[in-house]
Amino acid sequence: MRTKIFSLLTVLLCYFAQSQHSFLKIPKLEEEDIKNLTPKDGSEIPAEILHRSVNYDIDMNGNLTKKFVERVKIYNKDQAENFFNKEIQYYESSTLKQSLTNLKASTYNFENGKIDVQKVRKDSKFKSKEDNTVTIAKFTFPNVKNGSVLEYEYTILSPSDFLRIIPEFIIEDEVPAKYVEYTFDFPNTLGYNVNYNGSLLPKHQESAIKTVYGADYKVTRFGFENVPAFKKEKFVLNSNNYKTSIRMELNSTNFGSFKSYSTTWDDIRKSLLEDENFGRQMNRMNLVKNFLPREIRANISVHDKLSDILNFVQKEYTWNGNTGIFTDKGVRNLLSTKTGNVAEINLLLIMLLRDVGIEADPVILTTINKGVLKNYSPSITIPNYVVVLAEVNGKKYLLDAASKYTKVNMIAPMALNYNGILMGKEAQVIDIAYNDISQTFLTVESKLNPDFSFEGTFSDKDTKLYSVIVNDIYNRNKEEFIKGYKDKYKFTLSDIKPTTVNDDFETTMNFHSDTFVDKIGNKIAFNPMLFLYTQDHDFNQKETRVSPIEFLSGNEKVKKITITLPEGYVFESIPSSKKFRTDDDSIKYHYIATKEASNKLTIESSILINGSFFPKEFFPAFKQIFDNITKLEGQVATVVKN
């Protein structure tokens, strides 16, 4: 990961500026900005950020004010829908809260020779709870058209409790930006580190000590002009991890005497274990004393008992979809209602394991969509997921009961985010990657009919982590899942049956198609891979790779196609077989064509990627290998009448 950390020391701050520039000014929205229907440079982009700024200010009493403004020009509304719906997160609990104020949002259109302004009405704004501490304000811009300008602003007021770590601000976006600004002003009695991630450099930069209302203030300001669009790449878990971003972190105060605020994960561990909604929940062991069924408690094998208790919690209790490292209504409520958030379910799992003598502790982490947990910047506000680390006979096992389908040493795919922090006897960074190989088996049994149509059966089976992912997709919307096959394969499919067998998820179906065969004189030719062949692949990126290659797990895809010809026909020629691999065996591939009889052919191909993370420098090797795979799997067989 491209990471640079710059520190602003509390002393030796000097003024520097790369050019004369005025910060903290919102440009006037011009009529031309609204009238224009296409980008001035002629590029084909769905939208363009005209202005985006976040300005933080801390007063002498420690109150933090965040002011945010964004103005976006829409060129193609069908491809810019992510700008229509906005969400603003802020912290709101019974003891500590932020206040969202001055939320204004408007859509500007140029109609009938004048500017039409439609404001987001109060009754169009609503709030929802992500968990027991995070509130989300939501709204949708009205009357969005090609050419619209969308503008919104808001202010968040925070007490001094929120000064420790300021939320990360991401500079780059999937569309270009004319101007992006980040400013942070704070009293000279405070000291902050600037955590700067990424390779994009500001056009304007200022760091100085200024007198504001008779007091010395430090100002830290960054201005970025003509920021190019951050191009999304395939096989990246979260692109935000690789965008340029800024985050401020309190390191000291000096109110007459110097005090350091170098928080450690161990400090956070101690705080969590004393918290009513975390550690104290696990101390209520009387809630689960002799709670487990007798057959689980009587199991002699400790390892089997580990799996049995995981299965018990998964079967009896349901995750309500809420993340967060703190319980919402508590473990007692979970036991009575059978439903709870991720913390409640996995803290219960810890309690049940401890009740039978298995050592177990919580692990806090961030889900993939929230970004990688940065070890160098401990914060209790960033992790949003809890899993379990159990130890049996000196071996450690990760467990996650929030998902109904995970097994021992497998956590929910959404939480497979590189590392977590073990909250055991001491805080410890641990690797949470899934280290096994997940497989996909695509199997076709087919026959060629005398009318040169193909019919047969098709099986799509996923194992291990991939089985968990597909199982979840299927149970979320069974009708859409089945429809997905019909949308993908443009020929007749029937009797589609998804099933789970021995933890593998398999979908079987019948198919019929008359689109695979070409007649050439007295011969017929077809690709024996049938509908499992694609003319392109997912590693076809032409631009230089920016991000590493990331998978949820190492994986293998196996395709097996068996073709039987009608009576009186034989194979005249079949594809050539080939195998290749990388020097370190991180990628292996084979394509094998076997003629089992004059009228029966089996094709088997397998691509194994032995790992879940590869540096960006590996991308050319991936591209070359998949170019060769596409060529090999494009081979045809010819058939003649005997």
Side-chain angles (χ1 to χ4, degrees):
M1 189 180 301
R2 308 168 304 166
T3 305
K4 299 178 182 177
I5 306 171
F6 301 127
S7 296
L8 267 182
L9 303 179
T10 57
V11 294
L12 300 178
L13 279 170
C14 61
Y15 172 83
F16 61 92
Q18 293 173 319
S19 64
Q20 293 296 321
H21 179 71
S22 296
F23 289 95
L24 303 173
K25 289 188 176 181
I26 310 301
K28 180 183 176 182
L29 179 60
E30 302 292 344
E31 183 177 293
E32 190 63 30
D33 292 331
I34 306 171
K35 292 172 64 176
N36 187 31
L37 294 177
T38 58
K40 290 182 179 180
D41 62 2
S43 59
E44 294 185 6
I45 53 175
E48 181 180 27
I49 298 166
L50 302 180
H51 178 92
R52 177 184 284 167
S53 63
V54 62
N55 309 121
Y56 288 98
D57 179 83
I58 302 172
D59 67 20
M60 296 303 294
N61 296 318
N63 298 310
L64 172 68
T65 300
K66 171 189 176 181
K67 294 182 179 179
F68 180 86
V69 179
E70 180 177 276
R71 183 183 294 162
V72 177
K73 176 71 175 180
I74 304 298
Y75 296 115
N76 186 338
K77 68 182 184 68
D78 295 332
Q79 298 178 17
E81 293 181 356
N82 57 314
F83 289 103
F84 303 174
N85 306 302
K86 291 298 178 180
E87 295 185 356
I88 304 166
Q89 291 192 13
Y90 56 102
Y91 197 94
E92 196 174 45
S93 70
S94 58
T95 58
L96 194 63
K97 64 184 298 183
Q98 296 175 311
S99 300
L100 174 65
T101 65
N102 301 325
L103 174 56
K104 303 173 186 177
S106 301
T107 302
Y108 296 86
N109 288 306
F110 194 80
E111 296 180 343
N112 301 319
K114 63 179 182 179
I115 297 174
D116 175 71
V117 184
Q118 292 199 24
K119 296 182 179 181
V120 175
R121 301 193 312 268
K122 287 185 178 181
D123 58 5
S124 299
K125 306 170 188 174
F126 63 96
K127 296 180 181 179
S128 66
K129 279 282 193 181
E130 183 177 88
D131 54 40
N132 61 328
T133 60
V134 176
T135 299
I136 303 176
K138 302 180 181 181
F139 67 90
T140 300
F141 285 99
N143 196 31
V144 180
K145 305 176 180 180
N146 289 346
S148 295
V149 172
L150 313 181
E151 181 176 82
Y152 78 109
E153 62 181 273
Y154 63 86
T155 300
I156 292 179
L157 306 176
S158 309
S160 58
D161 306 80
F162 290 88
L163 298 184
R164 297 289 287 273
I165 293 185
I166 310 302
E168 181 179 56
F169 181 68
I170 296 174
I171 304 300
E172 296 169 278
D173 207 313
E174 273 68 49
V175 299
K178 284 189 174 181
Y179 182 74
V180 180
E181 177 176 290
Y182 182 94
T183 70
F184 193 84
D185 298 353
F186 55 100
N188 198 31
T189 50
L190 304 177
Y192 276 88
N193 292 334
V194 183
N195 293 337
Y196 193 104
N197 177 71
S199 59
L200 188 67
L201 297 178
K203 174 74 172 179
H204 311 284
Q205 189 168 335
E206 180 181 350
S207 179
I209 297 177
K210 293 186 175 183
T211 301
V212 181
Y213 301 121
D216 287 340
Y217 264 68
K218 299 172 187 175
V219 298
T220 303
R221 298 170 179 178
F222 300 92
F224 301 80
E225 291 185 4
N226 300 318
V227 178
F230 185 93
K231 186 175 178 58
K232 274 193 170 183
E233 298 177 316
K234 296 177 182 176
F235 305 107
V236 177
L237 299 182
N238 186 343
S239 295
N240 286 344
N241 293 330
Y242 308 104
K243 295 176 183 176
T244 298
S245 63
I246 302 169
R247 190 175 69 194
M248 304 294 288
E249 179 182 0
L250 183 70
N251 61 42
S252 64
T253 59
N254 192 354
F255 299 103
S257 61
F258 182 82
K259 183 178 179 181
S260 175
Y261 283 89
S262 55
T263 302
T264 67
W265 284 116
D266 209 53
D267 295 330
I268 292 173
R269 180 192 69 86
K270 293 173 185 176
S271 175
L272 282 175
L273 294 182
E274 294 172 359
D275 195 284
E276 172 63 26
N277 296 315
F278 192 88
R280 292 189 181 183
Q281 291 288 319
M282 293 185 290
N283 293 337
R284 294 175 179 147
M285 293 298 295
N286 60 303
L287 293 175
V288 298
K289 189 172 180 61
N290 298 320
F291 187 81
L292 288 167
R294 183 183 305 171
E295 60 270 21
I296 294 179
R297 299 182 64 84
N299 198 326
I300 298 175
S301 169
V302 180
H303 187 276
D304 289 346
K305 192 176 292 185
L306 187 75
S307 182
D308 289 344
I309 295 173
L310 173 64
N311 293 338
F312 172 80
V313 177
Q314 289 172 317
K315 181 180 179 181
E316 296 293 326
Y317 303 97
T318 299
W319 177 40
N320 61 16
N322 291 337
T323 56
I325 62 174
F326 296 103
T327 61
D328 185 4
K329 298 179 180 178
V331 172
R332 185 189 297 274
N333 184 76
L334 171 66
L335 293 173
S336 62
T337 65
K338 303 286 189 177
T339 302
N341 70 3
V342 65
E344 288 158 347
I345 287 177
N346 280 327
L347 293 184
L348 171 62
L349 177 58
I350 290 172
M351 296 164 70
L352 294 173
L353 291 169
R354 289 177 176 178
D355 186 55
V356 297
I358 296 176
E359 184 179 337
D361 291 300
V363 177
I364 60 174
L365 49 90
T366 54
T367 50
I368 289 172
N369 66 342
K370 197 167 183 184
V372 171
L373 189 65
K374 296 177 174 64
N375 302 335
Y376 61 79
S377 185
S379 170
I380 202 170
T381 65
I382 297 175
N384 68 330
Y385 203 87
V386 182
V387 296
V388 180
L389 185 72
E391 185 169 341
V392 176
N393 299 326
K395 291 186 177 180
K396 293 179 170 59
Y397 302 89
L398 278 171
L399 306 168
D400 180 8
S403 168
K404 293 287 188 184
Y405 313 109
T406 56
K407 302 300 174 186
V408 174
N409 267 341
M410 178 193 292
I411 65 176
M414 65 181 289
L416 282 169
N417 202 14
Y418 287 101
N419 53 57
I421 312 298
L422 173 65
M423 300 283 108
K425 295 177 181 177
E426 61 180 20
Q428 182 182 349
V429 180
I430 65 168
D431 182 2
I432 60 170
Y434 183 69
N435 294 317
D436 210 341
I437 301 294
S438 302
Q439 296 172 300
T440 297
F441 294 93
L442 303 175
T443 306
V444 176
E445 291 280 348
S446 67
K447 66 176 182 178
L448 179 66
N449 295 319
D451 63 356
F452 303 143
S453 66
F454 273 100
E455 65 177 289
T457 61
F458 173 42
S459 165
D460 182 354
K461 182 171 75 173
D462 292 287
T463 73
K464 299 178 182 176
L465 189 69
Y466 283 2
S467 176
V468 173
I469 296 170
V470 179
N471 220 323
D472 184 63
I473 294 171
Y474 172 66
N475 284 285
R476 199 179 304 144
N477 192 322
K478 296 178 181 179
E479 290 75 19
E480 279 297 314
F481 181 85
I482 292 173
K483 181 175 178 292
Y485 279 100
K486 294 181 178 181
D487 291 342
K488 181 177 181 179
Y489 300 109
K490 306 299 183 183
F491 46 80
T492 302
L493 295 175
S494 61
D495 202 21
I496 302 177
K497 294 179 180 179
T499 56
T500 302
V501 180
N502 297 327
D503 299 327
D504 298 336
F505 190 91
E506 183 174 17
T507 304
T508 59
M509 64 203 78
N510 298 324
F511 75 92
H512 182 276
S513 177
D514 58 3
T515 61
F516 299 132
V517 172
D518 289 322
K519 294 186 68 175
I520 307 171
N522 64 342
K523 301 178 182 181
I524 60 173
F526 58 86
N527 185 333
M529 296 289 287
L530 301 179
F531 52 87
L532 298 187
Y533 170 70
T534 55
Q535 293 182 336
D536 206 349
H537 59 80
D538 290 328
F539 294 93
N540 57 356
Q541 179 177 321
K542 295 180 175 60
E543 302 84 358
T544 302
R545 183 77 176 188
V546 173
S547 309
I549 305 164
E550 300 171 310
F551 306 99
L552 289 171
S553 81
N555 55 88
E556 182 180 25
K557 178 179 282 189
V558 178
K559 302 175 185 177
K560 185 176 181 180
I561 306 96
T562 300
I563 295 172
T564 302
L565 303 179
E567 185 176 352
Y569 287 84
V570 295
F571 283 100
E572 181 188 51
S573 67
I574 63 172
S576 301
S577 301
K578 193 168 184 178
K579 298 180 180 181
F580 49 80
R581 60 181 178 82
T582 57
D583 292 339
D584 60 356
D585 285 339
S586 58
I587 308 176
K588 296 180 181 180
Y589 177 77
H590 72 248
Y591 177 96
I592 299 173
T594 305
K595 190 161 66 172
E596 300 180 26
S598 61
N599 70 332
K600 189 172 184 179
L601 176 67
T602 297
I603 302 291
E604 183 173 349
S605 76
S606 169
I607 175 70
L608 171 66
I609 300 175
N610 194 11
S612 59
F613 177 89
F614 296 86
K616 62 182 180 180
E617 289 77 14
F618 278 62
F619 191 82
F622 272 86
K623 185 178 186 306
Q624 182 180 7
I625 286 172
F626 277 83
D627 282 345
N628 289 328
I629 290 173
T630 302
K631 291 178 182 178
L632 273 173
E633 296 191 353
Q635 296 181 89
V636 300
T638 58
V639 172
V640 296
K641 202 167 186 178
N642 190 5

